[in-house]
Amino acid sequence: MAAQRHYDELARQLSAIGAVKRDMARILPHDCPAGSAAVLTLLARYGEMRMSRLAELLAVDMSVTSRHVAHVADRGWIERRPDPADKRSRILHLTDEGHRQMTELGTRTTQLLADRLSDWTDDEVGQLIALMTRLRDSFGDCRTTRTPA
């Protein structure tokens, strides 16, 4: 087990990740804020889903999810289709235009990371990926796990 001072430093470093996230948000297209990008990313990763599942994955209130969904739907990046199992519900589906937007977001993100980490070796980037994956796995799927009140 690591020493307490390591956990203290890790907490400080994780807090500083906010600066990285802000820098990444700056490269997003003006009409695709971070919440919209998150909706597109989750639909691309997990496929079509109900809004309730999307809210769970985003770990935000349904009203916030609804605003994000309205934003991306207004731009034609997603469609809201009737749920065959429950006609009152809608299934969110990424459109062809949404896939194109995801390609653009991926290109911008990859380029930013390539620029910022240009002095890192492939092994170092691989280590970072492995350690971040392990860290995330240590916390479980935080998006679907709720802490009891």
Coordinates of all heavy atoms in Angstrom, one line a residue, residues 14-65:
L14 N -5.0 15.0 -9.1 CA -6.3 14.8 -9.7 C -7.2 16.1 -9.7 O -7.9 16.3 -10.7 CB -7.1 13.7 -8.9 CG -6.6 12.3 -9.1 CD1 -7.2 11.3 -8.2 CD2 -6.7 11.9 -10.6
S15 N -7.0 16.9 -8.7 CA -7.7 18.2 -8.7 C -7.2 19.1 -9.9 O -7.9 19.8 -10.5 CB -7.4 19.0 -7.4 OG -8.1 18.3 -6.3
A16 N -5.9 19.0 -10.2 CA -5.3 19.7 -11.3 C -5.7 19.2 -12.6 O -5.6 20.0 -13.6 CB -3.8 19.7 -11.2
I17 N -6.4 18.1 -12.7 CA -6.9 17.6 -14.0 C -7.9 18.5 -14.6 O -8.1 18.6 -15.8 CB -7.5 16.1 -13.8 CG1 -6.4 15.1 -13.5 CG2 -8.3 15.7 -15.0 CD1 -5.4 14.9 -14.6
G18 N -8.5 19.3 -13.7 CA -9.5 20.3 -14.2 C -8.9 21.2 -15.2 O -9.6 21.6 -16.2
A19 N -7.6 21.6 -15.1 CA -6.9 22.4 -16.1 C -6.8 21.7 -17.4 O -7.0 22.3 -18.5 CB -5.6 22.8 -15.6
V20 N -6.6 20.4 -17.4 CA -6.5 19.6 -18.6 C -7.9 19.6 -19.3 O -8.0 19.8 -20.5 CB -6.0 18.2 -18.3 CG1 -6.1 17.3 -19.6 CG2 -4.6 18.3 -17.7
K21 N -8.9 19.4 -18.5 CA -10.3 19.3 -19.0 C -10.7 20.7 -19.6 O -11.3 20.7 -20.6 CB -11.3 18.9 -17.9 CG -11.1 17.4 -17.6 CD -12.0 17.0 -16.5 CE -13.4 16.9 -17.0 NZ -14.3 16.3 -16.0
R22 N -10.3 21.8 -18.9 CA -10.6 23.1 -19.5 C -10.0 23.3 -20.8 O -10.5 23.9 -21.7 CB -10.3 24.2 -18.5 CG -11.3 24.3 -17.3 CD -11.0 25.5 -16.5 NE -9.7 25.5 -15.8 CZ -9.4 24.8 -14.7 NH1 -10.4 24.1 -14.1 NH2 -8.2 24.8 -14.2
D23 N -8.7 22.9 -20.9 CA -8.0 23.1 -22.2 C -8.6 22.2 -23.3 O -8.7 22.7 -24.4 CB -6.5 22.6 -22.0 CG -5.5 23.3 -22.9 OD1 -5.9 24.3 -23.5 OD2 -4.4 22.8 -23.1
M24 N -9.1 21.1 -22.9 CA -9.7 20.2 -23.9 C -11.1 20.8 -24.3 O -11.5 20.7 -25.5 CB -9.9 18.8 -23.4 CG -8.6 18.1 -23.2 SD -8.7 16.4 -22.6 CE -9.2 15.6 -24.1
A25 N -11.8 21.4 -23.4 CA -13.1 22.1 -23.7 C -12.9 23.3 -24.7 O -13.8 23.5 -25.5 CB -13.8 22.5 -22.4
R26 N -11.8 23.9 -24.6 CA -11.5 25.1 -25.5 C -11.4 24.7 -26.9 O -11.6 25.6 -27.8 CB -10.2 25.8 -25.0 CG -10.4 26.6 -23.8 CD -9.1 27.4 -23.5 NE -9.1 27.9 -22.1 CZ -8.4 27.3 -21.1 NH1 -7.6 26.4 -21.3 NH2 -8.6 27.8 -19.9
I27 N -11.1 23.5 -27.2 CA -11.0 23.1 -28.6 C -12.3 22.6 -29.2 O -12.3 22.4 -30.4 CB -9.9 22.0 -28.8 CG1 -10.3 20.7 -28.0 CG2 -8.5 22.4 -28.4 CD1 -9.8 19.4 -28.6
L28 N -13.3 22.5 -28.4 CA -14.6 22.1 -28.9 C -15.2 23.1 -29.9 O -15.0 24.3 -29.7 CB -15.6 21.8 -27.8 CG -15.3 20.7 -26.8 CD1 -16.2 20.7 -25.7 CD2 -15.2 19.4 -27.6
P29 N -15.9 22.7 -30.9 CA -16.6 23.7 -31.8 C -17.5 24.6 -31.0 O -18.1 24.1 -30.0 CB -17.4 22.8 -32.8 CG -16.7 21.5 -32.7 CD -16.2 21.3 -31.3
H30 N -17.7 25.8 -31.4 CA -18.5 26.8 -30.6 C -19.9 26.3 -30.4 O -20.6 26.6 -29.4 CB -18.5 28.2 -31.3 CG -19.2 28.2 -32.6 ND1 -20.6 28.4 -32.7 CD2 -18.8 28.0 -33.8 CE1 -21.0 28.4 -33.9 NE2 -19.9 28.1 -34.7
D31 N -20.5 25.5 -31.3 CA -21.8 25.0 -31.2 C -21.9 23.6 -30.5 O -23.0 23.0 -30.5 CB -22.5 25.0 -32.5 CG -21.9 24.0 -33.5 OD1 -20.7 23.7 -33.3 OD2 -22.5 23.7 -34.5
C32 N -20.8 23.2 -29.9 CA -20.8 21.9 -29.3 C -20.1 22.0 -27.9 O -19.0 21.6 -27.8 CB -20.1 20.8 -30.2 SG -20.3 19.1 -29.5
P33 N -20.8 22.5 -26.9 CA -20.2 22.6 -25.6 C -19.9 21.2 -25.0 O -20.4 20.2 -25.5 CB -21.2 23.4 -24.8 CG -22.5 23.3 -25.5 CD -22.2 23.0 -27.0
A34 N -19.3 21.2 -23.9 CA -18.8 20.0 -23.3 C -20.0 19.0 -23.0 O -19.9 17.8 -23.2 CB -18.1 20.2 -22.0
G35 N -21.1 19.5 -22.5 CA -22.3 18.7 -22.2 C -22.8 18.0 -23.5 O -23.1 16.8 -23.5
S36 N -22.8 18.7 -24.6 CA -23.3 18.1 -25.8 C -22.3 17.1 -26.3 O -22.6 16.0 -26.8 CB -23.4 19.2 -26.9 OG -24.4 20.1 -26.5
A37 N -21.0 17.4 -26.2 CA -19.9 16.5 -26.6 C -20.0 15.2 -25.8 O -19.9 14.1 -26.3 CB -18.6 17.1 -26.4
A38 N -20.4 15.3 -24.5 CA -20.5 14.1 -23.6 C -21.7 13.3 -24.1 O -21.6 12.0 -24.1 CB -20.7 14.5 -22.2
V39 N -22.8 13.9 -24.5 CA -24.0 13.1 -25.0 C -23.6 12.4 -26.2 O -23.9 11.2 -26.4 CB -25.2 14.1 -25.3 CG1 -26.2 13.4 -26.1 CG2 -25.7 14.6 -24.0
L40 N -22.9 13.0 -27.2 CA -22.5 12.4 -28.4 C -21.6 11.2 -28.2 O -21.7 10.2 -28.7 CB -21.9 13.4 -29.4 CG -22.8 14.5 -29.9 CD1 -22.0 15.5 -30.7 CD2 -24.0 14.0 -30.6
T41 N -20.6 11.5 -27.3 CA -19.6 10.5 -26.9 C -20.3 9.2 -26.3 O -19.9 8.1 -26.7 CB -18.6 11.0 -26.0 OG1 -17.9 12.1 -26.6 CG2 -17.5 10.0 -25.6
L42 N -21.2 9.4 -25.4 CA -21.8 8.3 -24.8 C -22.7 7.5 -25.8 O -22.7 6.3 -25.8 CB -22.6 8.7 -23.6 CG -21.8 9.2 -22.4 CD1 -22.6 9.8 -21.3 CD2 -21.0 8.0 -21.8
L43 N -23.4 8.2 -26.6 CA -24.2 7.5 -27.6 C -23.3 6.8 -28.6 O -23.7 5.7 -29.1 CB -25.2 8.5 -28.4 CG -26.3 9.0 -27.5 CD1 -27.1 10.1 -28.3 CD2 -27.3 7.9 -27.3
A44 N -22.2 7.3 -29.0 CA -21.3 6.7 -29.9 C -20.7 5.4 -29.2 O -20.5 4.4 -29.9 CB -20.2 7.6 -30.3
R45 N -20.4 5.5 -27.9 CA -19.8 4.4 -27.2 C -20.7 3.3 -26.9 O -20.4 2.1 -27.1 CB -19.1 4.9 -25.9 CG -18.4 3.8 -25.1 CD -17.8 4.3 -23.9 NE -16.8 5.3 -24.2 CZ -16.5 6.3 -23.4 NH1 -17.1 6.5 -22.2 NH2 -15.6 7.3 -23.8
Y46 N -21.9 3.6 -26.4 CA -22.9 2.6 -25.9 C -24.0 2.3 -26.8 O -24.8 1.4 -26.6 CB -23.4 3.1 -24.5 CG -22.4 3.1 -23.5 CD1 -21.9 4.3 -23.0 CD2 -21.8 2.0 -22.9 CE1 -20.9 4.4 -22.0 CE2 -20.9 2.0 -21.9 CZ -20.4 3.2 -21.5 OH -19.4 3.3 -20.5
G47 N -24.2 3.1 -27.9 CA -25.3 2.9 -28.8 C -26.6 3.6 -28.3 O -26.6 4.3 -27.3
E48 N -27.7 3.4 -29.0 CA -28.9 4.1 -28.7 C -29.4 3.7 -27.3 O -29.1 2.6 -26.8 CB -30.0 3.8 -29.7 CG -30.3 2.4 -29.9 CD -31.3 2.2 -31.1 OE1 -31.3 3.0 -32.0 OE2 -32.1 1.3 -31.0
M49 N -30.1 4.7 -26.7 CA -30.5 4.4 -25.3 C -31.6 5.4 -24.9 O -31.8 6.4 -25.6 CB -29.4 4.6 -24.3 CG -28.8 6.0 -24.2 SD -27.4 6.2 -23.1 CE -26.1 5.5 -24.1
R50 N -32.3 5.1 -23.8 CA -33.3 6.0 -23.3 C -32.6 7.2 -22.6 O -31.5 7.1 -22.1 CB -34.2 5.3 -22.3 CG -35.2 4.4 -22.8 CD -36.0 3.8 -21.7 NE -37.1 3.0 -22.3 CZ -38.0 2.4 -21.6 NH1 -38.0 2.5 -20.2 NH2 -39.0 1.7 -22.1
M51 N -33.4 8.3 -22.5 CA -32.8 9.4 -21.8 C -32.5 9.1 -20.3 O -31.5 9.6 -19.8 CB -33.8 10.6 -21.8 CG -33.2 11.9 -21.3 SD -33.4 13.4 -22.1 CE -34.9 13.3 -22.9
S52 N -33.2 8.3 -19.7 CA -32.9 8.0 -18.3 C -31.6 7.3 -18.1 O -30.8 7.6 -17.2 CB -34.0 7.1 -17.7 OG -34.2 5.9 -18.4
R53 N -31.2 6.4 -19.1 CA -29.9 5.8 -19.1 C -28.8 6.8 -19.4 O -27.8 6.7 -18.7 CB -29.9 4.6 -20.1 CG -28.5 4.0 -20.3 CD -28.2 3.2 -19.0 NE -26.9 2.5 -19.3 CZ -26.0 2.4 -18.4 NH1 -26.1 2.8 -17.1 NH2 -24.8 1.7 -18.7
L54 N -29.1 7.7 -20.3 CA -28.1 8.7 -20.6 C -27.8 9.6 -19.3 O -26.7 9.9 -19.0 CB -28.6 9.6 -21.7 CG -27.6 10.7 -22.2 CD1 -26.3 10.2 -22.7 CD2 -28.3 11.5 -23.3
A55 N -28.9 10.0 -18.6 CA -28.7 10.8 -17.4 C -27.9 10.0 -16.4 O -27.0 10.6 -15.7 CB -30.1 11.1 -16.8
E56 N -28.1 8.7 -16.3 CA -27.3 7.9 -15.4 C -25.9 7.9 -15.8 O -25.0 8.1 -14.9 CB -27.8 6.4 -15.5 CG -28.0 5.7 -14.3 CD -28.6 4.3 -14.6 OE1 -27.9 3.4 -15.0 OE2 -29.8 4.2 -14.4
L57 N -25.6 7.7 -17.1 CA -24.2 7.7 -17.5 C -23.5 9.1 -17.4 O -22.3 9.2 -17.1 CB -24.1 7.2 -19.0 CG -24.5 5.8 -19.2 CD1 -24.6 5.5 -20.7 CD2 -23.4 4.9 -18.6
L58 N -24.3 10.1 -17.6 CA -23.7 11.5 -17.4 C -23.6 11.9 -15.9 O -22.9 12.8 -15.6 CB -24.7 12.5 -18.1 CG -24.7 12.5 -19.6 CD1 -25.8 13.4 -20.1 CD2 -23.3 13.0 -20.2
A59 N -24.3 11.1 -15.1 CA -24.4 11.4 -13.6 C -24.8 12.8 -13.4 O -24.3 13.5 -12.5 CB -23.0 11.1 -13.0
V60 N -25.9 13.2 -14.1 CA -26.5 14.5 -13.9 C -28.1 14.3 -13.8 O -28.6 13.3 -14.2 CB -26.2 15.5 -15.0 CG1 -24.7 15.8 -15.0 CG2 -26.6 15.1 -16.3
D61 N -28.7 15.3 -13.3 CA -30.2 15.4 -13.2 C -30.8 15.2 -14.6 O -30.3 15.7 -15.6 CB -30.6 16.7 -12.5 CG -32.0 16.8 -12.2 OD1 -32.4 16.2 -11.2 OD2 -32.8 17.3 -13.1
M62 N -32.0 14.7 -14.6 CA -32.8 14.5 -15.9 C -33.0 15.9 -16.6 O -33.0 15.9 -17.8 CB -34.1 13.8 -15.6 CG -34.8 13.4 -16.8 SD -33.9 12.1 -17.7 CE -35.0 10.8 -17.5
S63 N -33.2 16.9 -15.8 CA -33.5 18.2 -16.5 C -32.2 18.7 -17.2 O -32.3 19.3 -18.3 CB -33.9 19.3 -15.4 OG -32.9 19.5 -14.5
V64 N -31.0 18.5 -16.6 CA -29.8 18.8 -17.3 C -29.6 18.0 -18.5 O -29.2 18.5 -19.6 CB -28.6 18.7 -16.3 CG1 -27.3 18.9 -17.0 CG2 -28.7 19.6 -15.1
T65 N -29.9 16.7 -18.4 CA -29.8 15.8 -19.6 C -30.7 16.2 -20.7 O -30.3 16.3 -21.8 CB -30.1 14.4 -19.1 OG1 -29.2 14.0 -18.1 CG2 -30.0 13.4 -20.3

